[in-house]
Amino acid sequence: MAKKQFKAESKRLLDLLINSVYTHREIFLRELISNASDAIDKLYYKTLTDESLHFDKDNYFIKITIDKENRTLTVSDTGIGMTKEELDDNLGVIAKSGSMLFKNENELTDGHEIIGQFGVGFYSAFMVAETVTVISKAFGSDEAFKWESKGVEGYTIKPYEKDSFGTDVIIKLKENTENENFDDYLEQYRIRSIIKKYSDFIRYPIKMDITEKKLKEGSESEYEDYTEEQTVNSMVPIWRKNKNELTRDDYENFYAEKHYGFDKPIRHIHVSVEGVVSYNAILFIPEKIPYDFYSKEYEKGLELYSNGVMIMQKCAELLPDYFSFVKGMVDSEDLSLNISREMLQHDRQLNLIAKNIKTKIKNELDNLLKEERDKYEEFYNSFGRQLKYGLYSEFGRNKDLLQDLLLFYSSTEKKMVTLAEYVSRMPEEQKYIYYATGESVERIEKLPQTELVADKGYEILYFTDDIDEFVIKMLATYKDKEFKSVASGDLGIETEEKDAGDTENQKNEELFARMKEILADKVSDVRASKRLKNHPVCLSSEGELSIEMEKILKSLPTANEHVKANKVLEINTGHEVFASLKEAYEKDEEKLELFTDLLYNQALLIEGLPVHDPVDFTNNICKIMK
Ligand code: ADP
């Protein structure tokens, strides 16, 4: 029979995997056992939901067989098995690699990362195997098949004999090398300890023939080998275990075993609730952003179990969007096995669990913020935007829950701070929480609009994320303090500058009116500035919509041309340029037009906006230089 080829991407992934320098090859066993357990789950689920099927619990088990002579290790299960087509479909392509992007192929030298990132489960066998043989008989079928492969070259599928349904995965170990002793995987104690380490909580028995020395009958000193089938795992799922008995390692192993991520989680949350609704849950806050997190493909959700049987892989209803980065599982005996996707939303029990989980996650994040600030900042770097979206969406419904999880860069502290920290530092006379928006911290540092507020010694929060200002509009206040942009009309700072500004406006009323005429509808007003110290001009905005918001709204695909902030051109009357402006107004109308245009365009540039008409602008500069 002709050899079949693996799908192109799978082939590359397989190649990477086989050749990866990887020190934890042992996890191949975890992967195979996990597949075996899933296969039994599927059959078990069938018998629970189909009344015509009756099964004895003893029928479900996984067996590990070591054959030293032939150098093989076999993982057998009594699960649902695979048809010929399923062998071809499931094992011919690496699970989730179908649409995979090989962005960082060069970085993928570690088998563990490859497995975690791509869910290559079954294929990890090739890290230790020269040949992998899968003999399977699907439940309800009377034919069995043998799938066989030596790796990248492809695989074959042939009819085969097998008595009962289920699957045997036979690993023919690689030859030992100078650095690696694959014979290690033929040792009982070694296999047993790998199972204990990674698969102890598998709910079906993992059986092995164990040979031990026992005293010979009738003798007091002579021993003989005694072989007996034993169950190696404790079969208690980790989420049903007592928290006190579990170590951080146990949780991290579980995280890896479940392919929740290839990083190490920052925190785990183990919940055991008994009450109106009883459930166990293990939740993880990941450290790194999954490669597809900000793409359409990313699906949020937790694994859902009904009394130990997995009924759904990604139950979205259990997680609000703003916590979509959370990974983990929930097991409840109060949920029906037959619950359908449609029914989920209206399930009272499930809603209660979801509500409860939301609070647990929020509390854990609060704790992280308090206890391990560095780690929280790392987390915030990855997922902070998600929290902000959560605050903004649903008309700010979640603001009480999320506002204390926000961080912004502070002008005075030179680091990320919370709103609570900001408010606690506010001097009594300071009315508002000030913020400045811009592309980056460096850009904002140079904004002329910040001068007055900074001069007063007030702290300014820097908004560098597109969504920041929208979030703050949604918040409106924090601890009864209003937010105020340093670019807004009235800064609420009573100073000599303010009075001076008013008199300057009166004194120069006609000049400003003329400039407004020249600029026409580009600005809503021209005024003497109360906030500028060293810069000649700046723009500020009046009304609800700020200049930054206008920029963002205009960049959206659904942009509306009529979205426009009311821009005010502010002139620093103390600046030497102002004298030239006044002189032009009195003596040379053409020059006034030129200066007005230049000042306006400068203000645009400082704001990070494009100049109105680049050709006009450069021509005007040339005119002045002449
Ligand atoms: P994953 O388990 O993440 O889906 P794998 O590459 O490990 O990816 O397995 C691919 C698929 O092959 C599984 O989803 C399952 O349908 C099938 N499979 C693997 N092992 C077994 C088994 N022992 N019994 C039945 N089906 C299996």
Side-chain angles (χ1 to χ4, degrees):
M1 199 179 104
K3 246 190 198 146
K4 291 196 172 199
Q5 293 296 310
F6 286 107
K7 304 270 175 340
E9 280 139 329
S10 304
K11 212 164 150 177
R12 287 167 73 193
L13 205 46
L14 198 54
D15 202 29
L16 275 171
L17 199 61
I18 293 168
N19 297 312
S20 66
V21 274
Y22 186 53
T23 46
H24 298 87
R25 292 180 191 270
E26 62 186 30
I27 55 139
F28 81 91
L29 191 58
R30 172 190 85 187
E31 299 297 317
L32 296 183
I33 290 176
S34 166
N35 279 349
S37 168
D38 288 349
I40 304 178
D41 261 348
K42 282 179 198 158
L43 185 62
Y44 182 47
Y45 181 69
K46 228 187 173 103
T47 62
L48 286 177
T49 48
D50 182 343
E51 279 172 15
S52 67
L53 299 171
H54 293 288
F55 265 85
D56 193 338
K57 229 178 161 349
D58 294 343
N59 288 332
Y60 304 114
F61 63 88
I62 296 162
K63 170 113 195 209
I64 313 289
T65 317
I66 295 170
D67 180 342
K68 280 197 171 174
E69 224 161 283
N70 293 309
R71 299 187 72 251
T72 62
L73 182 69
T74 303
V75 178
S76 308
D77 67 64
T78 57
I80 195 141
M82 282 176 274
T83 61
K84 186 179 178 204
E85 288 67 37
E86 284 166 339
L87 280 168
D88 200 15
D89 290 348
N90 297 340
L91 306 184
V93 59
I94 293 186
K96 289 151 210 145
S97 68
S99 61
M100 199 54 61
L101 299 161
F102 279 87
K103 270 189 298 195
N104 305 316
E105 199 169 306
N106 300 339
E107 290 165 25
L108 288 174
T109 50
D110 184 76
H112 182 60
E113 276 203 9
I114 300 173
I115 291 164
Q117 201 161 357
F118 301 100
V120 287
F122 169 75
Y123 287 82
S124 58
F126 285 102
M127 293 195 298
V128 299
E130 185 185 279
T131 312
V132 179
T133 310
V134 180
I135 297 165
S136 195
K137 188 175 188 176
F139 177 71
S141 158
D142 32 60
E143 321 174 86
F145 292 91
K146 180 168 102 173
W147 179 102
E148 198 161 70
S149 170
K150 282 185 188 301
V152 257
E153 293 130 59
Y155 59 91
T156 56
I157 300 179
K158 293 174 185 165
Y160 206 74
E161 286 298 314
K162 188 177 187 311
D163 290 341
S164 52
F165 50 83
T167 304
D168 301 333
V169 179
I170 305 161
I171 304 236
K172 166 93 183 171
L173 291 167
K174 289 187 191 187
E175 290 299 329
N176 295 331
T177 65
E178 219 174 284
N179 306 321
E180 252 165 315
N181 181 24
F182 292 101
D183 281 351
D184 215 22
Y185 299 116
L186 296 169
E187 298 301 332
Q188 278 177 15
Y189 74 90
R190 177 83 167 99
I191 295 300
R192 190 184 183 162
S193 78
I194 299 175
I195 296 172
K196 269 288 188 204
K197 183 167 167 193
Y198 298 109
S199 311
D200 193 57
F201 66 87
I202 292 287
R203 41 192 258 112
Y204 306 104
I206 303 171
K207 298 179 180 178
M208 252 179 99
D209 289 335
I210 303 280
T211 306
E212 279 161 351
K213 297 259 184 241
K214 283 212 168 148
L215 271 182
K216 227 174 177 169
E217 235 182 60
S219 163
E220 288 190 5
S221 55
E222 258 187 279
Y223 285 84
E224 64 178 353
D225 281 349
Y226 178 81
T227 305
E228 182 189 37
E229 192 181 73
Q230 293 183 7
T231 295
V232 181
N233 55 328
S234 77
M235 304 202 316
V236 181
I238 179 169
W239 57 90
R240 293 229 178 119
K241 284 194 180 159
N242 194 325
K243 276 175 245 183
N244 307 331
E245 290 165 22
L246 295 163
T247 63
R248 197 187 172 108
D249 268 1
D250 291 327
Y251 291 106
E252 284 177 1
N253 275 334
F254 182 66
Y255 184 82
E257 199 272 338
K258 285 289 191 178
H259 297 166
Y260 288 147
F262 61 92
D263 52 348
K264 284 224 154 77
I266 291 190
R267 287 261 168 146
H268 65 257
I269 311 169
H270 190 158
V271 195
S272 301
V273 175
E274 302 234 1
V276 192
V277 50
S278 302
Y279 72 94
N280 293 298
I282 296 188
L283 311 170
F284 293 99
I285 297 169
E287 179 193 5
K288 295 195 182 133
I289 309 185
Y291 66 94
D292 59 351
F293 188 64
Y294 285 108
S295 79
K296 276 207 296 284
E297 277 79 51
Y298 186 81
E299 257 185 273
K300 66 162 184 173
L302 299 175
E303 286 180 319
L304 186 61
Y305 289 71
S306 158
N307 206 10
V309 183
M310 197 212 277
I311 53 176
M312 205 170 289
Q313 227 162 8
K314 294 242 160 125
C315 179
E317 284 74 10
L318 283 168
L319 282 181
D321 279 342
Y322 47 87
F323 289 154
S324 63
F325 47 82
V326 173
K327 302 282 182 186
M329 52 76 54
V330 170
D331 183 14
S332 172
E333 48 199 50
D334 299 328
L335 291 170
S336 154
L337 259 179
N338 289 312
I339 199 162
S340 70
R341 286 233 171 239
E342 294 69 44
M343 279 151 65
L344 277 177
Q345 258 170 337
H346 309 290
D347 192 274
R348 215 175 64 87
Q349 260 95 4
L350 196 87
N351 286 335
L352 274 173
I353 298 176
K355 213 171 133 191
N356 201 328
I357 281 179
K358 183 172 75 180
T359 319
K360 298 270 180 203
I361 299 170
K362 140 87 174 144
N363 292 344
E364 194 63 28
L365 289 175
D366 273 343
N367 291 342
L368 185 65
L369 176 64
K370 274 190 218 115
E371 294 158 11
E372 292 178 281
R373 183 69 170 238
D374 288 356
K375 283 213 169 147
Y376 184 81
E377 283 184 27
E378 224 171 279
F379 154 80
Y380 192 77
N381 226 337
S382 301
F383 302 110
R385 251 172 79 195
Q386 201 61 25
L387 300 180
K388 292 179 197 168
Y389 281 117
L391 223 155
Y392 178 70
S393 62
E394 295 183 73
F395 307 100
R397 223 182 89 182
N398 308 302
K399 62 184 182 186
D400 288 342
L401 188 85
L402 299 174
Q403 61 185 3
D404 285 313
L405 296 174
L406 297 181
L407 293 180
F408 296 104
Y409 186 87
S410 150
S411 64
T412 52
E413 301 298 302
K414 304 287 175 211
K415 60 173 193 202
M416 302 297 274
V417 302
T418 63
L419 294 175
E421 286 160 358
Y422 182 103
V423 169
S424 74
R425 281 190 288 265
M426 280 171 76
E428 213 178 313
E429 82 280 0
Q430 186 183 337
K431 275 196 233 149
Y432 301 111
I433 299 173
Y434 293 104
Y435 67 85
T437 47
E439 248 164 61
S440 62
V441 168
E442 296 72 34
R443 277 293 271 274
I444 299 176
E445 296 264 81
K446 291 193 183 138
L447 277 182
Q449 288 93 331
T450 60
E451 284 184 337
L452 178 62
V453 182
D455 239 44
K456 271 302 261 187
Y458 294 160
E459 187 171 354
I460 303 171
L461 298 175
Y462 289 3
F463 289 179
T464 49
D465 222 348
D466 277 1
I467 194 174
D468 287 344
E469 206 173 358
F470 293 89
V471 170
I472 257 35
K473 292 267 149 134
M474 195 54 83
L475 268 183
T477 61
Y478 179 80
K479 295 204 172 148
D480 296 329
K481 304 282 183 202
E482 266 178 65
F483 290 89
K484 194 77 151 177
S485 162
V486 295
S488 71
D490 178 20
L491 285 173
I493 298 178
E494 296 299 330
T495 58
E496 293 149 21
E497 286 89 345
K498 184 169 159 53
D499 300 335
D502 290 341
T503 21
E504 285 299 326
N505 270 329
Q506 276 164 14
K507 275 205 313 219
N508 301 295
E509 209 179 332
E510 285 168 28
L511 164 61
F512 292 151
R514 178 68 197 115
M515 287 174 80
K516 162 85 183 74
E517 245 171 66
I518 295 169
L519 292 169
D521 58 359
K522 288 177 203 148
V523 297
S524 62
D525 206 1
V526 178
R527 268 183 226 150
S529 180
K530 298 160 195 170
R531 81 189 90 218
L532 289 176
K533 301 252 164 197
N534 305 309
H535 287 74
V537 277
C538 75
L539 285 173
S540 66
S541 57
E542 285 180 320
E544 273 305 295
L545 201 65
S546 74
I547 297 170
E548 277 305 308
M549 290 166 95
E550 175 192 315
K551 253 196 273 180
I552 292 158
L553 292 175
K554 281 220 166 114
S555 70
L556 296 178
T558 51
N560 177 345
E561 270 312 300
H562 302 294
V563 167
K564 209 170 157 201
N566 281 331
K567 300 186 190 77
V568 176
L569 185 68
E570 295 195 8
I571 309 285
N572 182 353
T573 51
H575 199 278
E576 40 193 8
V577 161
F578 185 66
S580 317
L581 197 66
K582 253 166 87 171
E583 198 184 299
Y585 172 62
E586 278 151 21
K587 295 188 186 144
D588 187 343
E589 169 66 17
E590 202 187 329
K591 212 170 200 173
L592 178 71
E593 281 175 25
L594 201 62
F595 283 179
T596 304
D597 180 73
L598 281 180
L599 285 173
Y600 170 66
N601 280 308
Q602 275 185 48
L604 287 176
L605 282 172
I606 292 171
E607 204 55 46
L609 292 165
V611 293
H612 198 72
D613 182 336
V615 179
D616 252 13
F617 180 61
T618 41
N619 283 343
N620 283 347
I621 290 181
C622 288
K623 268 190 211 161
I624 289 178
M625 289 173 75
K626 276 190 283 184

